[in-house]
Amino acid sequence: MEGSATSRRWELSLVNVAFCLGIVVFHCMSHPVTHLDKLSWQFALATVCQRLTCIGVPGFFFLSGLKFALPSPRQRTLGQYYLSRFRRLIPPYLLAAALSYFPFVLTGSYPFSLKNFALLTIRGSLSAQFYYVVVLLQFILLAPLFRTLVQRYSPAVLLPIALLITQLSTEFFGAPGLPAPDWLAALYSGHQFTDALFYYLAGCFAGTRYEAFLALLEKHRSLIFPLFALSAPAAIAASVVNSSGRGSPPYLESLNILFYISYALALYSLAVRLAPRIKGAAARLLGALDRASYLIYLYHCLAITLFDAAASRLGVAREGPLLLLRLLIVLSAAIGGSVLWQKLRARFVPARK
């Protein structure tokens, strides 16, 4: 992030860090959600906690679109934009993918194969969080299209269409037997930009009209928070019923989208209120977490994999203590390691101008 401590938009850092930490906690909760008895209250509680942290991925796409469209004092050509984004995203991703591949090879989950590694990396399916990078790269490649859309058309027209496409995308692309050439079927992972189109495009419109977006949040604060307060328990309860096998609530995906939208707006609105108070040590800490967020995102699942393997060897089986240890160790390792690496890199590697 550019800018001094006084000019920096701290609300962007706040929501970015909140989304990032939410994703880490979400994946830490995957083990109890997978292994607990689905009819137990412990499973219901774990599912509730996981759903409360699920905003990270839709939020990341919204924030990515917003930052893409946010006016910048530095004018860059399309080639410069592509170069800077690929340079920032791809080398760390390839390194994280390589480091994440070896534990799977050592445990026998995958046979060692460069072709297999390449396919898994391109598809973003090697580790649970990698698909975000693959989808984000699709949005980056389509940057001229999104720039044209937000300049020429109204959000009142485009966002309802994008919302419909997002709702239909998972159902259509996830359908079995979808016809495709063999080479495309080998690469296809079910991770396509249309799944997140609404969130990214909404972010683009918010970034292009950023001050108007902030004014809109302030004006409709009395609607945003009650909407979140109503949609959150409804979506979470429906998710518990569905994932436990007790029933199949209708319109679950639509309810989730309403939950995600109200959640993201409420969180952003809260961040805008808190941003002026970010000073001193809090600013330094938040800045460090913000700069390290991409690395935290890339490596936290590797930390979870290593922790679960060690816990299995040590015979730690009770889900309660296991979850507390996993949260403590994974958060400490992912955050501490990523922040330390960023500091060392800033000290020894000259910043690009």
Side-chain angles (χ1 to χ4, degrees):
M1 296 280 282
E2 293 85 8
S4 66
T6 55
S7 63
R8 186 169 184 161
R9 297 185 183 274
W10 285 111
E11 69 273 12
L12 298 179
S13 299
L14 279 169
V15 293
N16 182 51
V17 171
F19 293 152
C20 180
L21 297 183
I23 285 293
V24 177
V25 175
F26 180 91
H27 286 133
C28 284
M29 299 298 302
S30 295
H31 191 279
V33 167
T34 303
H35 290 82
L36 287 170
D37 176 8
K38 294 188 182 299
L39 298 179
S40 67
W41 67 266
Q42 292 94 336
F43 172 83
L45 179 60
T47 303
V48 169
C49 293
Q50 191 180 53
R51 295 297 295 161
L52 285 171
T53 59
C54 69
I55 188 59
V57 170
F60 270 143
F61 284 117
F62 174 80
L63 198 57
S64 296
L66 191 153
K67 289 180 178 180
F68 163 68
L70 198 64
S72 172
R74 292 192 304 169
Q75 297 297 322
R76 293 183 295 181
T77 65
L78 184 62
Q80 291 172 328
Y81 169 75
Y82 281 146
L83 181 62
S84 67
R85 296 305 290 153
F86 292 161
R87 184 182 286 164
R88 169 170 165 72
L89 293 174
I90 293 179
Y93 171 58
L94 294 178
L95 178 60
L99 293 176
S100 299
Y101 185 59
F102 282 103
F104 292 121
V105 172
L106 294 175
T107 57
S109 300
Y110 293 119
F112 179 75
S113 165
L114 291 179
K115 179 181 178 181
N116 185 46
F117 169 72
L119 282 174
L120 291 169
T121 303
I122 292 170
R123 295 170 64 182
S125 54
L126 179 61
S127 189
Q129 80 283 24
F130 286 164
Y131 82 93
Y132 165 77
V133 181
V134 173
V135 176
L136 182 59
L137 288 172
Q138 296 173 40
F139 281 119
I140 290 171
L141 289 171
L142 293 170
L145 171 63
F146 286 98
R147 187 166 292 165
T148 300
L149 289 176
V150 297
Q151 289 174 352
R152 292 187 58 180
Y153 301 104
S154 165
V157 173
L158 282 187
L159 288 183
I161 298 173
L163 180 58
L164 180 61
I165 293 173
T166 299
Q167 287 185 287
L168 294 175
S169 178
T170 303
E171 181 179 352
F172 175 76
F173 285 107
L178 190 68
D182 291 341
W183 66 269
L184 183 58
L187 294 175
Y188 178 70
S189 61
H191 306 323
Q192 55 281 325
F193 76 95
T194 47
D195 286 351
L197 178 62
F198 172 77
Y199 307 109
Y200 188 84
L201 188 60
C204 289
F205 279 117
T208 304
R209 305 159 172 81
Y210 192 64
E211 295 305 324
F213 170 65
L214 295 183
L216 195 69
L217 287 179
E218 183 65 28
K219 179 179 179 181
H220 296 290
R221 187 185 304 273
S222 59
L223 173 63
I224 291 170
F225 285 95
L227 183 60
F228 168 66
L230 291 172
S231 63
I236 292 171
S239 180
V240 171
V241 170
N242 183 68
S243 57
S244 65
R246 290 184 172 94
S248 300
Y251 309 112
L252 181 58
E253 187 58 34
S254 298
L255 183 58
N256 282 333
I257 289 176
L258 178 61
F259 170 44
Y260 296 152
I261 293 172
S262 63
Y263 198 168
L265 291 176
L267 190 61
Y268 208 105
S269 182
L270 181 62
V272 171
R273 282 292 181 95
L274 294 175
R277 305 178 188 179
I278 305 297
K279 298 175 182 177
R284 291 190 293 273
L285 175 61
L286 182 60
L289 291 174
D290 190 22
R291 289 187 294 273
S293 61
Y294 183 50
L295 294 181
I296 296 171
Y297 185 83
L298 288 177
Y299 284 101
H300 72 274
C301 280
L302 175 58
I304 292 173
T305 299
L306 296 176
F307 171 84
D308 286 348
S312 178
R313 284 175 174 266
L314 295 173
V316 182
R318 292 181 58 193
E319 285 296 342
L322 193 62
L323 175 59
L324 292 176
L325 279 173
R326 186 184 297 108
L327 286 169
L328 177 63
I329 293 175
V330 169
L331 284 168
S332 299
I335 293 173
S338 299
V339 169
L340 178 61
W341 172 253
Q342 286 292 93
K343 288 185 176 294
L344 291 174
R345 188 175 185 280
R347 174 169 293 187
F348 295 109
V349 179
R352 292 188 179 94
K353 296 183 180 180

